[in-house]
């Protein structure tokens, strides 16, 4: 096990200080002492935030799967690596040992090879939360193929966009998935997507629900017979430190989703380091993160971080409310979970239900509780602390992003203190800073501004796939010389950070990052829609919900407003996914615009939040009169 785990406040302080005084020496030691390398690096770090270009551990050779699997076989071969808990509580859980994981990953890696996948090729993975998902990810890494996992809740259009953006040669999917009492027909979604994806030559299909699906001759293959026929030995590909490990798409405020590129060595070092420290994982612990591997949280803190530490990591296929709202707590009890990591939206949803869902379960195994994805409100924080942690488990409110690869700001249990709604302090190696709108750094405490990071850390995304310019524009142009996160934050009198939310047009709904522009584009495709604008408003469970202002064309045939609303949401579900459907739709005669024709979302946001009397100066608008009529028929 690693020797980089911080113990206590004094240790945190001295470690943090070292990491800031000499970042290279700090990461040099962490990397050298805790991982297996085929060759050590020549240079720990080179960076230039203007270009921008960041390289960690240049010259090193490694394979991340040797660190996540092979090196554990001698000492932990029989230890459970992945503990799979199925959707249906009556189906048996599966304990996959490190030995078995090795067998599965090696076979799968050979199947990829025999189907023409080589180092550097992109492979799209569109799977539910079943073991094959984690195994497919690791199999790609084993042979140096770049995985692009697409969350299996995205629509066929969204899937096709992502497949084509990175020219994936293969798609790995399943016949279908279980979700609560429903099944979802994943394979037909893939079939629809592939009508527009000329580069995909092979589709590997895992069997999960046993449905009767179409297999396309020469393209589609059942996975299991391929695995059975494959050798269980596949030597790890020798990778350079900066070879891409994966691409993961995240929404931007405008345009196409951004394919964030993460590279091998830095990502491995940072996710392993932060997993160990933030969760204070001990050898016998059972760790459970409820995220989906389709998001960065699952990549870093279900798969890579835990496995690099030789941990037991739970993979849960189902939902928090099936068969009832006690499901999470039943699983905690059943598997004696020690660290539990979930999203505020799940906490809020469960806190609304009867406490009897919780009280029937023995939660005494829990040691650390985590939250991620959006700001956690005070009420949810206290409910989590009191009813789940029994005021005996530190809550780690972990702030980070798809782009950051790993957790940047979070308490460390039993070292740094927690404070409701605060992500608190930067982890070692992280140098946050706040800037005002004019780009002036706000020094000292009691400040609120835009959150930036001044020095590179090992797991930061290196580029946007195929669009380095956009990478520079999005993250390195607003505050030159620093990485801009897109979030606002405040620093209290003790220097603790509280994330206040996005300062751009990204809205976080139930922890899902949604850009407004792609949703508006989807709505505008409707034959009768002239224009639309989406804003977020506070929602009790989801954190933020979506409010759409839609201006119709003159001709809408004989459609009623209700029919139009249904069609608009169906269109969004088709083009993006059900997660982006609007909670409220208001039809308007126009949208407030500046004289240069830009929609004034600030005003629309206030109206959606019910702050009608506080719209500020609207006299400079091109069409101030439309504001009055929008206010009158607002849905608040
Ligand atoms: C955005 C990134 C990181 C994994 C899941 C989301 C928001 C994330 C917190 C937190 C307040 C948070 C930020 C960030 N966010 N964690 N603990 N407190 N806000 O990844 O989809 O890339 O979204 O999520 O606004 O920028 P993502």
């Amino acid at each position: 096990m690693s020797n980089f785990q911080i113990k206590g406040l004094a240790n945190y302080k001295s470690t943090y200080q070292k990491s800031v005084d000499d970042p290279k020496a700090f990461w040099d030691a962490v990397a050298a002492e805790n991982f297996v390398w085929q060759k050590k690096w020549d240079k720990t770090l080179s960076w230039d935030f203007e270009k921008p270009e960041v390289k960690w551990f240049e010259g090193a050779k490694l394979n991340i799967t040797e660190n996540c699997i092979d090196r554990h076989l001698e000492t932990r071969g029989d230890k459970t690596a992945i503990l799979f808990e199925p959707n249906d509580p009556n189906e048996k859980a599966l304990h996959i040992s490190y030995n078995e994981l090795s067998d599965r990953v090696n076979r799968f890696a050979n199947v990829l090879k025999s189907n023409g996948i080589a180092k550097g090729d992109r492979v799209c993975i569109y799977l539910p939360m079943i073991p094959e998902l984690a195994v497919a990810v690791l199999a790609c890494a084993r042979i140096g193929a770049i995985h692009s996992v697409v969350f299996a809740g995205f629509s066929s259009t969204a899937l096709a966009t992502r497949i084509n953006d990175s020219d994936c040669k293969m798609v790995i999917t399943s016949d279908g998935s279980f979700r609560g009492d429903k099944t979802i027909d994943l394979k037909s979604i893939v079939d629809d997507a592939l009508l527009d994806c000329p580069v995909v030559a092979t589709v590997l299909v895992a069997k999960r629900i046993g449905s009767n699906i179409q297999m396309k001759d020469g393209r589609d293959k059942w996975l299991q017979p391929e695995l059975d026929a494959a050798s269980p030995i596949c030597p790890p590909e020798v990778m350079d430190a900066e070879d891409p490990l994966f691409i993961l798409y995240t929404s931007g405020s405008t345009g196409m989703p951004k394919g964030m590129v993460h590279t091998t060595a830095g990502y491995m070092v940072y996710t392993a380091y932060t997993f160990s420290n933030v969760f204070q994982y001990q050898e016998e612990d059972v760790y459970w993160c409820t995220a989906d591997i389709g998001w960065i949280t699952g990549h870093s803190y279900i798969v890579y971080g835990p496995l690099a530490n030789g941990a037991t990591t739970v993979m849960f296929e189902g939902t928090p409310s099936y068969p009832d709202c006690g499901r999470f707590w039943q699983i905690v009890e059943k598997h004696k979970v020690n660290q539990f990591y979930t999203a505020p939206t799940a906490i809020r949803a469960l806190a609304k239900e009867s406490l009897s869902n919780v009280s029937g379960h023995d939660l005494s195994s829990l040691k650390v509780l985590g939250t991620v994805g959006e700001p956690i409100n005070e009420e949810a924080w206290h409910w989590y602390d009191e009813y789940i942690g029994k005021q005996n488990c530190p809550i780690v409110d972990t702030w980070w992003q798809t782009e950051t690869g790993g957790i940047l700001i979070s308490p460390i249990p039993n070292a740094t203190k927690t404070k409701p709604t605060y992500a608190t302090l930067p982890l070692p190696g992280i140098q946050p800073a706040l800037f005002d709108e004019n780009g002036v750094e706000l020094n000292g405490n009691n400040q609120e501004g835009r959150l930036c990071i001044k020095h590179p850390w090992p797991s930061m995304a290196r580029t946007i796939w195929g669009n380095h310019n956009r990478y520079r524009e999005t993250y390195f142009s607003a505050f030159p010389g620093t990485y801009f996160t897109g979030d606002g934050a405040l620093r209290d009198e003790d220097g603790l950070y509280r994330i206040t939310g996005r300062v751009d047009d990204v809205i976080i709904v139930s922890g899902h990052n949604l850009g407004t522009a792609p949703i508006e584009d989807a709505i505008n495709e409707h034959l009768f829609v002239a224009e639309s604008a989406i804003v977020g408003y506070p929602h009790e469970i989801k954190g933020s919900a979506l409010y759409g202002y839609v201006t119709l064309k003159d001709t809408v045939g004989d459609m009623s407003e209700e029919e139009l609303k249904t069609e608009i949401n169906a269109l969004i579900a088709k083009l993006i996914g059900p997660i982006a459907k609007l909670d409220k739709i208001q039809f308007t005669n126009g949208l407030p615009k500046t004289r240069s024709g830009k929609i004034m979302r600030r005003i629309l946001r206030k109206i959606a939040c019910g702050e009608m009397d506080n719209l500020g100066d609207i006299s400079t608008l091109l069409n101030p009169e439309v504001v009055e009529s929008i206010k009158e028929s607002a849905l608040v």
Side-chain angles (χ1 to χ4, degrees), residues 401-426:
Q401 312 176 292
T402 304
E403 295 85 337
T404 69
I407 299 166
L408 299 197
I409 304 184
S410 169
I412 293 179
N414 310 314
T416 55
K417 62 176 185 178
T418 63
K419 178 174 176 181
T421 77
Y422 280 71
T424 73
L425 291 170

Side-chain angles (χ1 to χ4, degrees), residues 250 295-297 341 371-376 397-404 409 423 485-487 499-502 508 511-513:
T250 186
W295 311 115
I296 191 70
T297 309
Y341 190 26
T371 139
V372 61
E374 59 184 309
I376 181 165
D397 178 351
T398 64
W399 172 82
W400 57 298
Q401 312 176 292
T402 304
E403 295 85 337
T404 69
I409 304 184
T485 65
D487 283 322
I499 312 302
T500 49
R502 303 289 310 182
I508 299 184
H512 301 307
N513 204 329

Side-chain angles (χ1 to χ4, degrees), residues 303-411:
V303 183
Y304 289 114
L307 296 178
N309 281 277
T312 296
T313 175
V314 175
M315 252 184 100
F316 175 45
E317 183 185 31
T319 73
S321 55
Y322 178 80
D324 58 54
C325 291
R327 183 67 164 132
F328 274 3
W329 321 124
Q330 181 249 329
I331 296 172
V332 168
E333 176 174 16
K334 177 176 174 189
H335 297 302
K336 299 195 170 47
V337 171
N338 302 107
Q339 292 89 5
F340 178 75
Y341 190 26
T342 197
T345 182
I347 299 168
R348 285 191 296 264
L350 295 174
K352 262 189 60 177
E353 302 295 327
S354 156
L355 268 179
S356 63
N357 288 301
V358 181
S359 53
H361 298 289
D362 177 4
L363 304 182
S364 60
S365 57
L366 290 172
K367 296 195 281 194
V368 176
L369 299 176
T371 139
V372 61
E374 59 184 309
I376 181 165
N377 50 308
E378 189 129 11
E379 209 183 335
W381 196 99
H382 285 297
W383 185 88
Y384 203 27
D385 182 41
E386 197 168 327
Y387 297 109
I388 306 305
K390 320 289 180 197
Q391 299 196 318
N392 206 21
C393 300
I395 294 180
V396 291
D397 178 351
T398 64
W399 172 82
W400 57 298
Q401 312 176 292
T402 304
E403 295 85 337
T404 69
I407 299 166
L408 299 197
I409 304 184
S410 169

